[in-house]
Structure formats: C-alpha cells, structure tokens
C-alpha cells in the first residue's frame, strides 16, 4: 500500500468581536489587571455574541483557511472538529459545520480531548492522509467556553475565551519537503480530577440539582494543572524531536497550547529554547482550549513570523489529562 504524507495547505482563525479585558474582570471578582498579566500574560479574551455558537466560529475560521489554501469547500473530504464546548451533545458540531459549508455526504466527527483536541484531530487527519484514504481534510479547533465559566471563580474566569482555528490538511506531492513529520498523543486518565466540567453528561444530567451543585461550570486545580502542563508538553516535545532526530536548534517556532505565558516559558526553558521563538498570542485571547494552537499558528502565519519551509513544533496539554505534539515543516 502506498504511504502518503500530509501538508498544511492553509490556515485560518476567528476571534469573536466582543472583548472582555482584565479591567472588565476586575469588576467581577477580587483580582487586578496587574496580577492577571504577571501570573498569566493574558490581557483580554474574546467572547462569542448571543446566538453565536462553536459551529459559527468554526465556519468563520474554515472560510479563511479555504481562502489561504486556495481551495473550494467541496474539495474537503472529511471534517474533524476538536471541541469540548459543542453547540449541543447531538448531532455533533462537525455535522452542523458541514451544513454551514454547504457540503453533504462527507464524514464529520467531533474529537473530545479538551485543550489537546486539535493535536489529536491533526493526528487523526495525518493518519487518513498517510493511508491514502483522503486527500483534503478540514481540521478545526473551536470553542465557545464562556457559558461554562463561573464569573465568580477568579482562578477560572481570568483565563478562558472563545475562538476557532482551522487547518486544511492535504496530501503532499511526493517531492514536497513541507510535510507533517510525526504526531504523538498521550493521556493520563488517573489525573482527570484536576480539571473537570461535570454537568451535561449521564452522570450529572442537566437538572435543577446539578445546576445548584455547580456542575455546569469548569472546576480546576490550577497549581497542579500548571505543573502537569509543563511536564507533559515538555515530554511530548522531546518525543517528537527524538523520533525525527531533529535538534531543538533546528526548530524555527514552538507553538504551544496558549494557557498561560509562564507555562509556555517553562517549556521553552526546559529545552533552553529562545523565548522569542515561542509563538504566544495568549495576551490577546487567553485560553481558548482546542482553538489555541491553530489560532496561534494562523496568527503567526498571517503576521509573517511563520514562513513556508520552516520547522514548527506544536504541543498541547488539557483536561483528561491529555497531551500531544506534532512536528512539521510548514
Ligand atoms: O488548559 C489548561 C487549563 N488550565 C490552566 O492552564 C491553568 C494552569 N494554572 C495556572 O495558569 C495558574 O495556576 C493560575 C493562573 C490559575 C494561578 O496562578 P498561580 O501563580 O499558580 O497562583 P496560585 O494558585 O499559586 O495562587 C497564588 C495566590 C493565592 O493566594 P494566597 O493563597 O497566596 O493568599 C490565590 O488565592 O494568588 C491568589 N489568586 C489570585 N489573586 C488575584 C488566585 N487567583 C487569583 C486572581 N487574582 N485571579
């Protein structure tokens, strides 16, 4: 069976218009702009409008990715959408996106791996390209998190925002050096209690009791998450480098999950990697879960930092605990 390689044909991202600044949050909880900036690097986050949902954010990001790839929507053969904040539990958000794109018939799935979701989705796309099953796959990370944020919990509400990012992942020509080299995925379910959104599943279905118990909001052990984020992203990056026999000095850009600048800085320090080569847009959008990696990547493409032919290391970490990495030449 022939083995093909995948390339990133185009990227796009979308941040909703409405902005929630640190100063806005000062009015909601006992915190300060200075504390938030110093401890996280976040200055503002974007919040979806009333009536604007995850599939809408995904649609906007997809349109831009298609434009960048110079491709029509009907060339997409498979939609993989990473989210933990779907429009609804059923049907999945990828199917809703399919309809918005005017497509019918092609498979469409949601991937649930929290903030690592996009790396998981990218890895799935990479496998389908490698086997030759599909030539063009839409991979999206999209989240509308704000309905699950308790704006009375100062550890949570300072961090999260809404966004979407999309990659068109396509079969590379045999002589194209710009391909995905490898992806690595990992999960540690025993650490699942560190970051939970319990409501809405069969264990805590939506009812008065579960709402009163606060199961509709995310709950997090921030300090523990921080330590595990640094540990798992560092080891996922190490694995990517070792597998491909690529030195960290050959990496042009590190695009980590944008949760907290201090986490990204600690991962860079682990490798003695220059901080100027870490793509960070966390100041602009906070933590947008599965959307952070494709949005950060796309913003760096659009502002000219990421160029064709460069070696890029992506890594993410999230509830689960899930983690992963992808090493590619863009
Ligand atoms: O995608 C993964 C999602 N989650 C994450 O990435 C979260 C990872 N964790 C973090 O980013 C950080 O742990 C936080 C930003 C959540 C907290 O920062 P920290 O430097 O780890 O603070 P801490 O938990 O060690 O708390 C230090 C102090 C505490 O006060 P005391 O006990 O020292 O008096 C907290 O109560 O800071 C206090 N604190 C705050 N103060 C002002 C916690 N949150 C706030 C706040 N404003 N928003």
């Amino acid at each position: 069976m022939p083995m093909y390689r995948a390339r990133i044909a185009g990227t796009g991202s979308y941040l909703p218009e409405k902005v929630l600044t640190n100063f806005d949050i000062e009015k909601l909880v006992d915190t300060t702009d200075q504390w938030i900036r110093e401890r996280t690097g976040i200055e503002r986050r974007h919040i979806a409008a009333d009536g604007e949902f995850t599939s809408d954010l995904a649609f906007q990001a997809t349109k831009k990715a298609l434009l960048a790839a110079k491709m029509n929507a009907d060339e997409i053969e498979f939609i993989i959408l990473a989210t933990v904040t779907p429009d609804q539990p059923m049907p999945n958000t990828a199917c809703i996106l399919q309809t918005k794109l005017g497509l019918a018939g092609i498979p469409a799935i949601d991937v649930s791996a929290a903030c690592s979701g996009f790396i998981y989705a990218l890895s799935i796309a990479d496998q389908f390209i490698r086997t030759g099953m599909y030539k063009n796959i839409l991979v999206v990370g999209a989240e509308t998190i704000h309905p699950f944020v308790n704006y009375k919990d100062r550890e949570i509400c300072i961090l999260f925002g809404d966004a979407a990012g999309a990659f068109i992942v396509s079969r590379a020509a045999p002589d194209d050096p710009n391909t995905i080299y490898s992806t690595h995925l990992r999960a540690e379910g025993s650490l699942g209690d560190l970051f939970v959104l319990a409501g809405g599943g069969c264990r805590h279905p939506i009812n008065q009791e579960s709402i009163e118990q606060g199961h509709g909001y995310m709950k997090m052990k921030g300090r523990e998450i921080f330590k595990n984020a640094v540990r798992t992203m560092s080891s996922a990056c190490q694995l990517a480098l070792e597998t491909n026999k690529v030195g960290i000095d050959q990496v042009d850009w590190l695009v980590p999950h944008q949760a907290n600048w201090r986490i990204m800085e600690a991962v860079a320090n682990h490798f003695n990697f220059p901080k100027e080569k870490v793509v960070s847009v966390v100041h602009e959008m906070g933590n947008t879960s599965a959307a952070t990696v494709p949005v950060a990547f796309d913003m760096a493409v659009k502002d000219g930092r990421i160029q064709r032919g460069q070696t890029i290391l992506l890594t993410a970490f999230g509830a689960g605990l899930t983690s992963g990495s992808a090493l590619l030449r863009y």
Side-chain angles (χ1 to χ4, degrees), residues 282-303:
V282 76
H283 61 284
E284 179 55 48
M285 64 173 185
N287 184 344
T288 61
S289 185
T292 72
V293 168
V295 172
F297 190 104
D298 179 60
M299 285 182 165
V301 168
K302 300 285 152 64
D303 69 22

Side-chain angles (χ1 to χ4, degrees), residues 29-32 35-36 39-40 115 154-156 158-160 195 220-226 229 257 259-260 262-263 287 289 317-319:
V29 287
D30 179 16
T31 191
T32 62
W35 192 96
I36 302 170
R39 303 295 259 224
T40 70
C115 304
R154 68 177 180 175
E155 234 188 294
I156 290 273
I158 59 164
L159 296 176
F160 293 94
F195 192 17
M220 177 184 76
K221 296 187 179 128
R223 221 176 291 184
E224 286 306 306
I225 289 280
F226 191 114
H257 172 45
N260 180 328
R262 285 165 52 224
I263 293 175
N287 184 344
S289 185
F317 154 90

Side-chain angles (χ1 to χ4, degrees), residues 55-56 59 73 79 91-108 138:
S55 61
D56 300 306
F59 179 56
I79 301 173
N92 70 32
T93 304
C95 283
I96 300 169
L97 176 61
Q98 187 211 51
T99 305
K100 290 195 163 134
L101 288 166
L103 300 175
I106 62 164
L138 170 63

Side-chain angles (χ1 to χ4, degrees), residues 123-139:
S123 179
I124 294 168
D126 187 38
Q127 311 316 311
F128 275 98
I129 298 279
R130 280 176 188 258
T131 59
M133 179 126 176
Y134 298 120
K135 287 197 191 96
N136 296 306
I137 302 178
L138 170 63
V139 184

Side-chain angles (χ1 to χ4, degrees), residues 24-330:
D24 296 326
I25 290 191
E26 278 183 357
K27 294 178 197 138
L28 303 175
V29 287
D30 179 16
T31 191
T32 62
D33 166 59
Q34 190 186 354
W35 192 96
I36 302 170
R37 273 191 289 108
E38 283 175 7
R39 303 295 259 224
T40 70
I42 299 167
E43 294 172 18
R44 63 192 80 86
R45 0 41 228 118
H46 294 248
I47 305 293
D50 290 345
E52 190 179 37
F53 306 115
T54 298
S55 61
D56 300 306
L57 275 51
F59 179 56
Q60 296 301 335
T62 299
K63 281 198 291 187
K64 294 181 189 173
L66 284 167
L67 211 60
K70 299 186 178 62
M71 205 179 267
N72 292 321
D74 60 8
E75 292 174 73
I76 299 169
E77 295 162 291
F78 185 18
I79 301 173
I80 311 174
L81 188 147
T83 190
V84 279
T85 55
D87 287 18
Q88 60 207 16
M90 190 176 79
N92 70 32
T93 304
C95 283
I96 300 169
L97 176 61
Q98 187 211 51
T99 305
K100 290 195 163 134
L101 288 166
L103 300 175
I106 62 164
I109 54 160
D110 284 7
V111 169
S112 172
C115 304
S116 311
F118 186 80
I119 302 284
Y120 270 65
L122 186 65
S123 179
I124 294 168
D126 187 38
Q127 311 316 311
F128 275 98
I129 298 279
R130 280 176 188 258
T131 59
M133 179 126 176
Y134 298 120
K135 287 197 191 96
N136 296 306
I137 302 178
L138 170 63
V139 184
V140 188
E143 305 279 9
T144 305
I145 304 180
H146 78 268
F148 310 100
V149 170
N150 179 355
Y151 286 95
K152 291 183 178 147
D153 179 346
R154 68 177 180 175
E155 234 188 294
I156 290 273
C157 74
I158 59 164
L159 296 176
F160 293 94
D162 306 334
F167 281 14
I168 308 292
V169 180
S170 298
R171 182 192 289 181
D175 56 350
D176 190 346
N178 297 338
T179 62
I180 297 176
Y181 295 161
S182 70
T183 57
H184 288 93
L185 307 176
R186 190 175 156 81
E188 293 163 82
S190 61
L191 296 173
D193 285 351
L194 296 183
F195 192 17
V196 175
L197 173 58
C202 60
R203 187 173 178 179
H204 297 291
I206 300 160
N207 54 32
Q208 198 53 38
E209 190 191 342
S210 94
I211 292 167
E212 278 164 14
Q213 287 174 356
H215 292 314
Y217 293 130
M218 295 185 289
K219 291 188 187 128
M220 177 184 76
K221 296 187 179 128
R223 221 176 291 184
E224 286 306 306
I225 289 280
F226 191 114
K227 280 187 264 174
N228 281 289
V230 177
R231 174 181 64 82
T232 56
M233 287 201 287
S234 300
S235 80
C237 289
Q238 187 73 40
L239 203 52
L241 296 169
E242 279 172 12
T243 303
N244 297 287
K245 297 187 176 44
V246 168
I248 190 74
D249 53 327
Q250 292 168 270
V251 173
D252 293 294
W253 295 102
L254 173 65
V255 187
H257 172 45
Q258 316 272 304
N260 180 328
W261 167 248
R262 285 165 52 224
I263 293 175
M264 294 187 253
E265 195 177 35
V267 175
N269 286 342
H270 177 86
F271 292 99
N272 214 2
F273 187 73
K275 292 181 196 65
E276 315 77 70
K277 291 182 167 191
V278 179
V279 174
S280 173
V281 294
V282 76
H283 61 284
E284 179 55 48
M285 64 173 185
N287 184 344
T288 61
S289 185
T292 72
V293 168
V295 172
F297 190 104
D298 179 60
M299 285 182 165
V301 168
K302 300 285 152 64
D303 69 22
R305 276 179 287 175
I306 293 182
Q307 304 273 337
R308 284 284 173 195
Q310 289 184 331
T311 302
I312 321 285
L313 181 54
L314 313 180
T315 187
F317 154 90
L321 301 179
T322 56
S323 57
S325 62
L327 187 67
L328 59 94
R329 203 176 124 127
Y330 177 64

